[in-house]
């Protein structure tokens, strides 16, 4: 079959754009496993650099994972009941409150960090502890959890469900535990994956809040680019990718599912 | 259990007076139907009984001798079937039905036994392990009923339990529901806006309009002795014979009717099933429309009543007069209902 000129042009443009996006990624990945980047691939492939990243930055990896889990726990404990309270009391005040907790989305992470530093910077015990970064992450990720849960709650007739549970003898807490939470689960799951992904990848705010002894994964990445051989930094990127990409894919899947339920 | 409602009223926060002060008593094992047009406050009254809505100050709700006015819904031990059924989507049929027993901490063995029994009574045994979204409308309705009765509530409250079903299914499920309610032998309040549903299921009917209770009585009482024009029109569509009364004779554009002396100063009402075609009848009119509805023809006759109002009648014969033809009608005065004129809010 003979293709038109337009088809060949479109094909070329697509390939160029794909190459534009992919080549640096491939190059970076290759750099991370090349023995000597300046001599090129001929110097041989190696896992040495990845080992080196592990030696230098494994603390950052564990700190990031730990922060993400802690951040998830806090946003679950605060966010799910908050979303439920907002859904139960629709009104001007609730709208305002929702906007208010969503503010960190619009404010640059830098500004948020500065505010936190101004407010708590002098409490040195708190300032140098990992919980200081946690506070920043919670502020930044909480709106994602609240909105995700709220969307699913608004899409179902949770009021009737709760009322029927109440006539069957269930107390307010039992209703929340056995009816609201299980039925809001798709929203909670989507929110949880978003929170974990954002927390692991957050740089702006964390950069401002971190101390030399508390470097998260992205902060460590910046550090490695600034102070290490290019191969180490590239290997670091590879490690980062390996952690974040499965999370991103799971997040896509979960939020698509939550959206299907919320229609 | 006897349900006693004293001066129950409800004014919503926006000022809507959904229920005017109402008194009502429902005896042990009795099935009472709240009947009235949309928006008349039926659901509001039902929710007040359940404890889902807080009534205005001065209202009192008693279950036997216990005052439950201030008691939270979860401690009232009522069973409620919601209009939308509100089945728990995260649970199977069995878990839905067992929910009330589970939150009341009934031991697992006894719970299984009681759930099985209710499932059997509601003919749901075959669907016990299905998720609720894999059920038909009629099956869902039975699950909602089973879930409400499983904890053996003191009173069962049903809010238009058949209205979510399509018309054909509704008719067949009506009798089934009536049979199931009798079998549970439980005090029940049943909301509907369909008079045939109320008559088929209830021992007594309470007719409501715009937040007030107009009349409470057995179906045949409401039918034969309506207390006012609204009830007369709402139950069985009684039509007013508006004409000039002179010396015990009612003069209508289509002829005259002799009425007893007690009719003086009142309006006579008649139902379509009590008007007959009769060559020797005293009333004359012209057939406007003829519709066949299975068992009988429904004729609209003009020229009998003033102001162009049509008189409807049911004709059971195999053939009916053509539309446009002139017919004579007869009305047995003993079928007439006499009601004082009211300049009421209802028309
Ligand atoms: N939460 C509320 N706030 C304000 N007004 C309300 C509220 N709930 C109901 N109403 C009003 O109270 C009146 C009675 O409502 P209710 O739901 O009891 O009617 P109903 O008889 O059940 O009608 P339907 O047959 O349509 O269900 C209506 O005018 C309705 O608009
Ligand atoms: Mg209603």
């Amino acid at each position: 079959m003979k293709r038109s000129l337009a088809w060949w042009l479109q094909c070329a443009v697509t390939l160029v754009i794909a190459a534009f996006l992919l080549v640096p990624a491939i190059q970076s990945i290759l750099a991370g496993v090349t023995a000597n980047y300046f001599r090129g691939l001929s110097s041989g492939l190696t896992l040495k650099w990845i080992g080196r990243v592990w030696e230098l930055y494994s603390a950052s990896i564990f700190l990031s994972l730990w922060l993400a889990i802690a951040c998830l726990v806090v946003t679950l404990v605060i966010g799910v009941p908050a979303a439920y309270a907002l859904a139960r009391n629709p009104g001007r005040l609730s709208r305002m409150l929702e906007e208010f907790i969503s503010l960190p989305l619009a404010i640059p992470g830098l500004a948020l960090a500065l505010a936190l530093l101004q407010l708590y910077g002098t409490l040195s015990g708190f300032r140098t502890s990992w919980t200081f970064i946690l506070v920043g992450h919670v502020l930044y990720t909480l709106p994602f959890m609240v909105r995700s849960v709220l969307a699913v709650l608004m899409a179902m007739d949770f009021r009737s469900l709760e009322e029927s549970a109440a006539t069957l003898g269930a107390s307010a807490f039992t209703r929340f535990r056995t009816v609201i939470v299980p039925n809001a689960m798709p929203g909670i799951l989507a929110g949880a994956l978003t929170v974990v992904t954002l927390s692991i990848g957050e740089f702006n705010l964390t950069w401002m809040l971190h101390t030399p002894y508390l470097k998260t994964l992205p902060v460590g990445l910046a550090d490695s680019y600034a102070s290490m051989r290019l191969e180490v930094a590239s290997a670091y990127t590879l490690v980062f990718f390996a952690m974040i990409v499965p999370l991103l894919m799971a997040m896509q899947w979960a939020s698509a599912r939550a959206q299907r339920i919320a229609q | 259990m006897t349900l006693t409602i004293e001066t129950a009223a409800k004014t919503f926060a926006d000022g809507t007076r959904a229920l005017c002060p109402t008194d009502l008593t429902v005896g042990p094992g009795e099935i009472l139907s709240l009947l009235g047009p949309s928006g008349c406050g039926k659901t509001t009254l039902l929710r007040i009984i359940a404890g889902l809505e807080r009534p205005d100050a001065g209202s009192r709700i008693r279950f036997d001798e216990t005052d439950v006015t201030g008691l939270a819904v979860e401690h009232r031990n009522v069973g409620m079937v919601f209009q939308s059924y509100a089945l728990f989507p995260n649970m199977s049929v069995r878990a839905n039905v067992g929910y009330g027993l589970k939150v009341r901490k009934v031991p697992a063995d006894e719970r299984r036994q009681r759930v099985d029994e209710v499932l059997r009574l509601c003919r749901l045994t075959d669907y016990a392990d299905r998720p609720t979204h894999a059920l038909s409308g009629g099956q869902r309705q039975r699950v909602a009923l089973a879930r409400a009765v499983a904890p053996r509530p003191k009173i069962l409250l049903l809010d238009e339990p058949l209205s979510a079903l399509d018309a054909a299914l509704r008719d067949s499920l009506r009798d089934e529901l009536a049979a199931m309610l009798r079998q549970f032998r439980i005090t029940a309040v049943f909301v509907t806006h369909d008079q045939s549903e109320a008559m088929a299921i209830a021992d007594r009917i309470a007719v409501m309009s715009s937040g007030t209770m107009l009349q409470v009585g057995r179906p045949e009482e409401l039918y034969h002795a309506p207390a006012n024009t609204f009830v007369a029109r709402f139950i069985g569509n009684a039509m007013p014979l508006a004409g000039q009364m002179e010396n015990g004779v009612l003069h209508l554009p289509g002829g005259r009717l002799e009425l007893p002396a007690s009719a003086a100063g009142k309006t006579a009402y008649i139902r379509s099933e009590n008007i007959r075609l009769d060559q020797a009848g005293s009333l004359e009119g012209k057939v406007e429309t003829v519709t066949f509805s299975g068992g009988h023809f429904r004729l609209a006759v003009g020229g009998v009543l003033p102001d162009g109002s049509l008189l409807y009648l049911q004709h059971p014969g195999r053939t009916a007069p053509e539309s446009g033809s002139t017919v004579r009608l007869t009305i047995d005065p003993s079928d007439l209902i006499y009601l004082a004129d009211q300049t009421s809010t209802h028309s």
Side-chain angles (χ1 to χ4, degrees), chain A residues 86-97:
Chain A
L86 287 174
R88 258 193 87 106
N89 310 296
R92 190 113 48 86
L93 196 69
S94 293
R95 285 285 84 73
M96 272 164 56
L97 219 66

Side-chain angles (χ1 to χ4, degrees), chain B residues 12 14 16 18 38-44 160:
Chain B
F12 281 106
D14 63 358
T16 312
S38 186
C40 69
K42 309 180 293 287
T43 299
T44 305
E160 310 210 20

Side-chain angles (χ1 to χ4, degrees), chain A residues 113-126:
Chain A
L114 277 176
L116 283 175
L117 283 170
Q118 270 174 359
L119 203 59
Y120 302 117
T122 48
L123 303 172
S124 68
F126 180 42

Side-chain angles (χ1 to χ4, degrees), chain A residues 156-157 159-172 174-183, chain B residues 47 50 52 73-74 77-80 82 84-91 96 99-100 103-104 147-148 151:
Chain A
M156 66 185 196
D157 189 4
R159 229 174 266 272
S160 302
L161 292 182
E162 215 191 332
E163 284 182 348
S164 53
T167 59
L168 291 165
S171 65
T174 308
R175 301 196 291 260
F176 182 73
R177 191 172 55 81
T178 58
V179 176
I180 301 293
V181 168
N183 285 301
Chain B
R47 290 172 61 86
L52 292 168
V73 46
E74 59 261 36
N77 195 11
V78 297
M80 183 142 177
F82 290 79
S84 59
Y85 304 151
L87 301 179
F88 303 129
N90 57 317
M91 300 177 200
N96 263 279
Y99 186 85
V103 299
R104 287 188 173 88
R147 184 180 66 176

Side-chain angles (χ1 to χ4, degrees), chain B residues 163-184:
Chain B
S163 70
L165 306 170
D166 56 54
L169 195 57
R170 194 151 55 211
D171 285 348
S172 67
L173 284 187
R174 190 176 64 196
D175 301 332
E176 183 182 295
L177 180 64
M180 277 195 282
L181 289 183
R182 304 261 169 244
Q183 164 190 347
F184 294 132

